[in-house]
């Protein structure tokens, strides 16, 4: 970029332009490379009516006015004043400008030349190249449709895990994706806190509305509401940080466990259980007749055993996981996938000491917190170490740590959820509790 303006400053600026919130981080970084800085004096024409212009113009500093026949009788209406983060020329590559644009003050614009405007048409919010049909299933699940500034729509895909309702991890992952798309791509989520309020209907789209609570130099805060049928069903608050050098230590130690390559996949484990004579015939028949939908996350348990969901066991679990398929190279996506996975097999660990023959239980997530300590790749093996320190008053509490293969602690997770003996449902209720 031909200017003394730093690349980071340009990327941060572009991340605040509403038009660009649908772009993957890779596209924003390329746009930052290709934009040209142009300066204008007060009353100087930026683009004249009838001209094609030089590309898409983003107002970096100063103010401009749209003037001409398009609003001849409208006076000084504010919608025709352009200021920082506004833009014009989008979609004008093959046609001419419909009005004059004149600098009102000293004006600086970043101009994306026409030959690079294809960067404005990515295949998804995560990739400029991979279509939703060719990306991994979990990446597709975490794709959102931008509807308006700060508003996105997500759906539950037919192949996505459901568990009779919208899976809690889907709420977490999609809400975090929505928040991430409203923050410049140099700031990455380092923590999130979420509350599950109502059961989600997987037959309906989910609207995610983002509140840009704060934008600072190093940190940004976002609040996201997930809405169905006019009701807020889920809330997430996330904090984002620009990476910086700092103190580094780690007391947590990854336990010694078998390598994932030596362990059975969930599909292989299911097949082995169908013929395992140590398991009750009724259990094997139940496994055989249950509709099996493969998850978008590959999971390998470190201690495969002959326990069933009615066998008492310690309140702990360790398993390796990774996304099935190659993910796009966006750290925001990889953290969304880790957040998505953190709710797959987590709260149920708090039920382990209470299982017994004939016992039927229900469990629902109440709140969920996650801290991201280091960069990670969710399509490479991560070890999830889970314990449940306590359960009381129909609430189970779980704590988890995720390690990469080098033994680095990359994520910490906590969750509290409702755990109850199953009971016959009464008449329809509004709250999930």
């Amino acid at each position: 970029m031909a200017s003394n303006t730093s690349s980071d400053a340009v990327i941060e600026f572009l991340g605040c332009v509403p038009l660009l919130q649908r772009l993957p981080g890779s596209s924003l970084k390329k746009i930052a490379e290709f934009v040209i800085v142009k300066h204008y004096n007060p009353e100087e024409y930026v683009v004249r009516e009838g001209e094609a212009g030089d590309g898409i113009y983003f107002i970096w500093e100063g103010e401009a006015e749209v003037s001409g026949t398009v609003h001849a009788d409208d006076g000084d209406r504010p919608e025709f004043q352009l200021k920082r983060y506004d833009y014009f020329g989008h979609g004008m590559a093959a046609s001419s400008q419909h009005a004059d644009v004149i600098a009102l003050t000293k004006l600086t614009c970043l101009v994306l030349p026409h030959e690079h405007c294809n960067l404005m048409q990515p295949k998804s919010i995560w990739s400029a190249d991979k279509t939703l049909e060719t990306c991994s299933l979990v990446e597709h699940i975490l794709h959102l449709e931008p509807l308006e500034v700060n508003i996105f729509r997500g759906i539950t895909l037919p192949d996505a895990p459901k568990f009779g309702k919208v899976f809690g991890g889907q709420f977490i992952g999609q809400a975090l994706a929505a928040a991430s798309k409203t923050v410049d791509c140099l700031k990455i989520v380092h923590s999130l806190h979420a509350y599950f309020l109502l059961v989600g209907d997987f037959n309906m789209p989910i609207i995610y509305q983002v509140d840009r609570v704060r934008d600072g130099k190093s940190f940004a805060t976002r609040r996201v509401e997930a809405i169905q049928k006019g009701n807020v069903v889920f809330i997430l608050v996330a904090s984002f940080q620009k990476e910086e050098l700092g103190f580094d230590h780690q007391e947590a130690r990854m336990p010694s466990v078998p390598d994932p390559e030596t362990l059975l996949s969930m599909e292989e484990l299911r097949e082995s259980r169908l013929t395992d004579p140590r398991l009750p015939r009724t259990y094997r028949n139940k496994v055989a007749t249950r509709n099996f939908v493969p998850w978008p996350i590959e999971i390998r348990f470190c201690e495969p055993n002959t326990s069933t969901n009615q066998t008492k066991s310690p309140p702990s679990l360790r398993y390796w996981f990774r996304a099935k398929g190659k993910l796009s190279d966006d750290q925001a996506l990889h953290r969304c996938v880790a957040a998505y996975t953190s709710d797959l097999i987590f709260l149920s660990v708090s039920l382990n000491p209470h299982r017994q023959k004939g016992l039927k239980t229900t469990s629902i997530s109440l709140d969920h917190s996650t801290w991201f300590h280091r960069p990670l790749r969710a399509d490479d093996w991560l070890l999830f170490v889970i314990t449940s320190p306590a359960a009381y008053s129909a609430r189970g509490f779980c704590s988890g740590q995720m390690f990469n293969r080098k033994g680095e602690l990359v994520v910490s997770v906590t969750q509290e959820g409702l755990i109850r003996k199953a009971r016959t449902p009464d008449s329809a209720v509004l709250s999930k509790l």
Side-chain angles (χ1 to χ4, degrees):
M1 192 181 73
S3 169
N4 58 3
T5 304
S6 74
S7 176
D8 282 5
V10 173
I11 293 172
E12 290 173 352
F13 165 82
L14 293 173
C16 295
V17 176
L19 174 69
L20 305 182
Q21 70 176 16
R22 59 195 173 85
L23 301 186
S26 58
S27 295
L28 284 175
K29 290 173 182 176
K30 287 182 180 178
I31 290 173
E33 292 177 14
F34 294 133
V35 289
I36 300 168
V37 180
K38 294 202 171 186
H39 302 282
Y40 304 89
N41 292 317
E43 300 184 8
E44 184 178 351
Y45 280 84
V46 181
V47 178
R48 292 182 182 271
E49 183 177 357
E51 293 179 352
D54 296 324
I56 303 175
Y57 294 72
F58 302 100
I59 306 293
W60 172 274
E61 194 171 46
E63 295 184 356
E65 176 186 42
V66 180
S67 176
T69 55
V70 71
H71 73 295
D73 301 320
D74 291 324
D76 295 327
R77 281 172 53 180
E79 57 261 47
F80 297 107
Q81 307 291 317
L82 301 174
K83 55 187 184 300
R84 184 169 169 85
Y85 303 125
D86 286 335
Y87 56 89
F88 58 93
H90 180 49
M92 306 296 291
S95 59
S96 57
Q97 192 72 24
H98 297 310
D100 297 328
V101 179
I102 304 169
L104 291 176
T105 64
K106 280 195 170 184
L107 182 71
T108 302
C109 292
L110 303 183
V111 183
L112 179 66
H114 289 304
E115 60 264 31
H116 299 301
C117 285
N118 61 320
L119 290 169
M120 302 290 291
Q121 299 173 326
K123 302 297 185 183
S124 79
I125 63 171
W126 299 119
S127 174
D129 307 312
K130 284 197 293 187
T131 65
L132 294 177
E133 290 71 29
T134 59
C135 70
S136 72
L137 176 56
V138 71
E139 184 169 333
H140 193 175
I141 291 170
L142 296 175
H143 171 77
L144 303 174
E145 179 189 359
L147 299 180
E148 189 46 89
V149 178
N150 302 330
I151 300 176
F152 303 81
R153 176 166 55 205
I155 62 171
T156 303
L157 296 176
D159 295 336
K162 300 179 183 67
F163 311 107
K165 55 186 180 293
V166 175
F167 164 50
Q170 178 179 318
F171 274 133
I172 299 170
Q174 289 184 340
L176 181 57
S180 298
K181 299 314 295 181
T182 68
V183 178
D184 73 77
C185 59
L186 297 180
K187 294 187 180 76
I188 304 295
V189 65
H190 70 90
S191 69
L192 67 84
H193 307 277
Y195 285 90
F196 301 86
L197 306 180
L198 295 169
V199 169
D201 184 346
F202 58 74
N203 292 311
M204 291 187 62
I206 307 163
I207 301 300
Y208 293 95
Q209 188 161 316
V210 183
D211 178 16
R212 302 187 185 217
V213 178
R214 179 181 181 272
D215 283 294
K217 185 176 180 181
S218 299
F219 290 85
T221 306
R222 296 292 185 264
R223 183 179 188 272
V224 186
E225 291 183 345
I227 301 169
Q228 283 190 319
K229 303 176 185 176
N231 297 314
V232 177
V233 297
F234 172 85
I235 294 172
L236 176 140
V237 177
S239 181
F240 299 77
Q241 182 191 18
K242 187 175 180 179
E243 188 173 351
E244 61 181 85
L245 294 175
F247 303 112
D248 184 352
H249 80 272
Q250 178 177 316
E251 287 296 309
R253 293 289 176 263
M254 184 173 79
S256 177
V257 296
D259 291 335
E261 293 82 3
T262 67
L263 300 169
L264 297 177
S265 68
M266 287 188 69
E267 290 80 1
E268 292 169 333
L269 187 60
R270 177 179 182 272
E271 289 302 315
S272 69
R273 287 192 155 215
L274 290 176
T275 56
D276 191 336
R278 295 171 296 176
L279 292 170
R281 182 183 297 274
T282 53
Y283 175 80
R284 284 182 280 156
N285 290 341
K286 187 177 181 181
V287 171
T289 56
R290 180 179 294 170
N291 183 33
F292 179 69
V293 179
W295 289 353
I297 305 296
E298 186 174 0
I299 289 177
R300 300 195 176 189
F301 295 104
C302 295
E303 298 99 4
N305 54 48
T306 57
S307 298
T308 70
N309 58 1
Q310 296 185 350
T311 305
K312 185 176 295 189
S313 61
S316 61
L317 183 66
R318 300 182 293 190
Y319 62 82
W320 293 96
F321 76 87
R322 66 179 177 183
K324 291 181 178 177
K326 180 76 172 174
L327 296 175
S328 295
D329 199 16
D330 188 325
Q331 183 61 201
L333 169 63
H334 287 260
R335 297 193 184 197
C336 287
V337 173
Y340 173 93
T341 307
S342 69
D343 194 42
L344 262 179
I345 307 175
F346 194 38
L347 180 60
S348 60
V349 174
S350 66
L351 283 168
N352 286 1
H354 311 286
R355 299 186 188 278
Q356 61 187 45
K357 187 176 181 179
L359 177 66
K360 294 184 177 181
T361 61
T362 60
S363 60
I364 302 174
S365 304
L366 294 174
D367 58 21
H368 191 104
S369 295
T370 305
W371 293 265
F372 302 88
H373 308 300
R374 299 172 183 268
L376 60 91
R377 286 205 66 91
D379 53 5
D380 196 3
W381 289 112
L382 296 171
L383 178 66
F384 199 4
V385 180
I386 305 168
T387 61
S388 177
Y392 183 74
S393 189
R395 300 189 319 276
F397 178 76
C398 287
S399 174
Q401 296 176 316
M402 295 181 185
F403 297 89
N404 62 22
R405 297 197 72 164
K406 293 188 291 185
E408 295 172 327
L409 179 65
V410 292
V411 180
S412 295
V413 190
T414 60
Q415 185 180 86
E416 189 172 55
L418 187 69
I419 52 172
R420 284 175 174 160
K421 292 182 179 181
R423 57 191 182 189
T424 304
D426 298 325
S427 56
V429 291
L430 293 178
S431 169
K432 72 175 187 180
L433 307 182

